Amino acid sequence: MYSVSKLKNGITLLKVPVRGAPSVTVLALFPVGSRYEDKNFAGAAHFVEHMIFKGTERRPQATDISRTLDALGADYNAFTSKDYTGYYIKIAAEKQAVAYDILSDVIYHSIFVADEVEKEKGAIVEELRMYKDNPSMAIDMLFDKLLFGDTPLGWDIGGTEDTVRGFTRDQLNDYYQSHYSPKNTLLVLAGAISSSSEKKIASFFKEKKVSKEAKDASHYKKSFVHFEWPKKPLPLAERVLVEEKKLDQAQLILGFPGLPNDHADRFTASILLNILGGGMSSRLFVEVREKRGLAYMIRAGSTSFRDVGVISIQAGLDPSRLFEALQVIKAEVERIAKEPVTEEELNNAKTSLAGRLALGLEDSSAQAEWYGKQVLFNAKINLPRGVVEKLNKVTVKDVQKLAERLLVSPEMRLAIIGPVSKADVLGMVNKL
């Protein structure tokens, strides 16, 4: 059973014991990401994330950190999203004190050496280019641009080459000092933990004092540019975005406005999307791949933020069969909104989602992230069994009502990267 407490300096400590786990994961989450940036400062959160493991007051070289963790076989990394940033170390249970020592050191005592900042600019620029040159990754960014336009949610998390190259050491350090405070730190401890684990955590994380300028976690729940969908459907030309590129395959994401993080209907949405495109027996997989061989990969899913959400269907297709694929996808989307799903489909989706949840929470790192994100974004934590209970309460009528509300043709958005023009795509959509 999880527990939530406060350390003396304001850190929120979330403990998640995992019976029989051989490891411990310590995860530090900060409720700030790329959507809190302005356009001239885009990519700052991501750049700071890169710098955290580059050196501290006690460990001035990046190799002082990496060699210690590598020698112990630890798994460690960091990630930046649009609304939060995280740092974790997963390590054998008997070595957990090393993880506490190093993670507390890097998140609160990084030194941002100017030479390291300059070197990292090149690495980040190459990372941006890598994503841009990979169509299956770039389509996500193009879809975000289509959905959210010139707003923080529509910008690349990593910023642009210009903003990255323009950052100074002092700008990044100021950002770090402003946002990395015990008052907004959610520290998740998952795995083989005991009463002594909390004592060790408290001893290692007590050093960082809270500055008077530091903002607590509640500040980040409202201090961002809120996004609202247009009140009237946009013209089709504004709901289609195409990047014409000479490729053997067309990458496609077709989507609709969805649900924010803590929406009451999110469990119904999970079932709806599982039936539509959640596995190899889903409607889209069967119709698009199995029956017609139109794609190798096709799936339906969702992304949620504090204020908005998105439903998306992604596929990689033969460009010459793009119109046929769009016809099939649109037909399945319309069918699930007009006709009730079967009781068998409903029950299979429930057991599928319950099974995936169980498998997805098998180790300490998965438990740490799952519970941590719930604390950050939900009004209360749902235990896995509570999630399953909510899924089991969903009815056929619930699924159809939500599909009717969300899968509305005038709200459809379509992003494509491939050897096709926007004019051609608009012509196809108009014929659907």
Side-chain angles (χ1 to χ4, degrees):
M1 182 67 175
Y2 74 90
S3 64
V4 181
S5 59
K6 285 275 189 181
L7 300 186
K8 288 183 179 179
N9 62 357
I11 291 174
T12 299
L13 177 62
L14 169 62
K15 293 188 299 180
V16 187
V18 181
R19 185 177 298 175
S23 65
V24 166
T25 295
V26 54
L27 167 67
L29 292 171
F30 296 89
V32 61
S34 63
R35 74 175 307 184
Y36 293 83
E37 301 162 353
D38 62 42
K39 199 167 188 178
N40 295 325
F41 211 57
H46 177 254
F47 205 134
V48 167
E49 176 234 299
H50 272 241
M51 294 304 301
I52 291 297
F53 284 100
K54 293 297 182 182
T56 70
E57 296 161 9
R58 290 169 50 209
R59 300 174 173 90
Q61 304 294 324
T63 51
D64 296 332
I65 299 164
S66 59
R67 283 175 181 163
T68 300
L69 292 172
D70 288 344
L72 296 175
D75 178 21
Y76 58 100
N77 212 329
F79 47 86
T80 306
S81 76
K82 297 194 176 184
D83 43 17
Y84 68 102
T85 309
Y87 305 85
Y88 71 89
I89 298 174
K90 180 182 178 183
I91 201 165
E94 63 270 18
K95 300 293 183 181
Q96 60 188 278
V98 177
Y100 306 153
D101 182 18
I102 290 180
L103 192 65
S104 62
D105 195 23
V106 298
I107 65 173
Y108 290 143
H109 303 289
S110 286
I111 52 179
F112 287 74
V113 175
D115 287 348
E116 290 296 327
V117 169
E118 292 304 311
K119 285 190 288 186
E120 199 61 24
K121 288 180 180 180
I124 293 174
V125 166
E126 291 309 313
E127 181 183 4
L128 296 178
R129 292 173 177 175
M130 176 185 72
Y131 285 113
K132 188 175 181 180
D133 286 349
N134 185 327
S136 63
M137 296 177 177
I139 189 64
D140 290 314
M141 292 181 283
L142 189 70
F143 190 56
D144 284 349
K145 182 180 178 181
L146 169 64
L147 292 170
F148 303 117
D150 192 17
T151 71
L153 284 179
W155 304 336
D156 189 337
I157 290 171
T160 68
E161 292 192 21
D162 288 341
T163 59
V164 168
R165 294 196 186 281
F167 287 129
T168 67
R169 183 267 173 195
D170 288 345
Q171 284 178 318
L172 295 171
N173 188 58
D174 287 348
Y175 179 100
Y176 165 66
Q177 296 295 340
S178 297
H179 297 294
Y180 284 57
S181 159
K183 289 174 68 175
N184 65 18
T185 304
L186 173 59
L187 192 64
V188 190
L189 184 59
I193 60 178
S194 62
S195 57
S196 63
S197 299
E198 183 168 352
K199 293 177 183 178
K200 290 176 183 176
I201 279 280
S203 67
F204 282 112
F205 283 83
K206 69 181 179 181
E207 295 178 16
K208 181 70 174 179
K209 295 180 180 179
V210 181
S211 68
K212 292 181 180 179
E213 295 77 21
K215 300 174 180 63
D216 61 27
S218 63
H219 167 81
Y220 297 91
K221 293 180 180 180
K222 54 188 177 181
S223 65
F224 55 86
V225 177
H226 288 251
F227 183 85
E228 292 185 5
W229 300 108
K231 290 182 169 50
K232 294 182 179 180
L234 297 172
L236 178 61
E238 295 179 35
R239 293 185 284 113
V240 172
L241 186 58
V242 177
E243 183 179 316
E244 192 169 355
K245 201 168 188 179
K246 189 175 181 181
L247 298 169
D248 292 330
Q249 191 178 57
Q251 291 292 328
L252 167 155
I253 298 183
L254 181 151
F256 303 85
L259 305 175
N261 265 309
D262 206 17
H263 198 285
D265 289 334
R266 64 190 184 278
F267 305 102
T268 303
S270 295
I271 289 175
L272 166 64
L273 294 173
N274 182 274
I275 294 170
L276 183 61
M280 294 176 70
S281 62
S282 68
R283 291 183 176 190
L284 284 172
F285 195 93
V286 170
E287 293 297 327
V288 174
R289 174 173 165 164
E290 295 298 294
K291 290 186 177 180
R292 296 171 176 83
L294 291 167
Y296 171 73
M297 178 279 293
I298 183 164
R299 58 173 176 257
S302 64
T303 304
S304 297
F305 303 101
R306 291 190 187 276
D307 47 346
V308 292
V310 178
I311 287 173
S312 59
I313 297 165
Q314 183 171 359
L317 305 158
D318 179 348
S320 68
R321 303 182 72 188
L322 178 58
F323 178 60
E324 183 183 356
L326 287 172
Q327 285 181 306
V328 177
I329 293 170
K330 188 169 186 289
E332 288 306 312
V333 168
E334 289 179 343
R335 182 164 75 95
I336 205 167
K338 291 178 181 179
E339 302 172 9
V341 299
T342 67
E343 287 289 346
E344 182 181 15
E345 286 178 310
L346 178 71
N347 292 329
N348 286 345
K350 290 175 180 179
T351 54
S352 172
L353 290 167
R356 291 184 189 185
L357 178 60
L359 294 178
L361 295 177
E362 280 188 325
D363 69 14
S364 63
S365 57
Q367 294 257 359
E369 185 171 358
W370 191 76
Y371 278 91
K373 287 176 69 176
Q374 287 202 65
V375 170
L376 278 185
F377 300 113
N378 295 350
K380 66 176 184 178
I381 294 178
N382 284 295
L383 294 172
R385 66 173 178 270
V387 171
V388 173
E389 287 171 2
K390 287 182 170 63
L391 290 170
N392 284 335
K393 290 179 181 178
V394 175
T395 66
V396 166
K397 187 176 180 180
D398 293 332
V399 174
Q400 188 177 16
K401 281 177 64 178
L402 189 65
E404 287 175 347
R405 193 170 95 227
L406 296 180
L407 305 180
V408 181
S409 290
E411 293 293 345
M412 184 188 79
R413 271 73 168 169
L414 177 62
I416 294 177
I417 298 177
V420 59
S421 69
K422 181 172 180 176
D424 289 340
V425 173
L426 288 173
M428 293 178 196
V429 176
N430 277 320
K431 294 177 183 176
L432 294 176

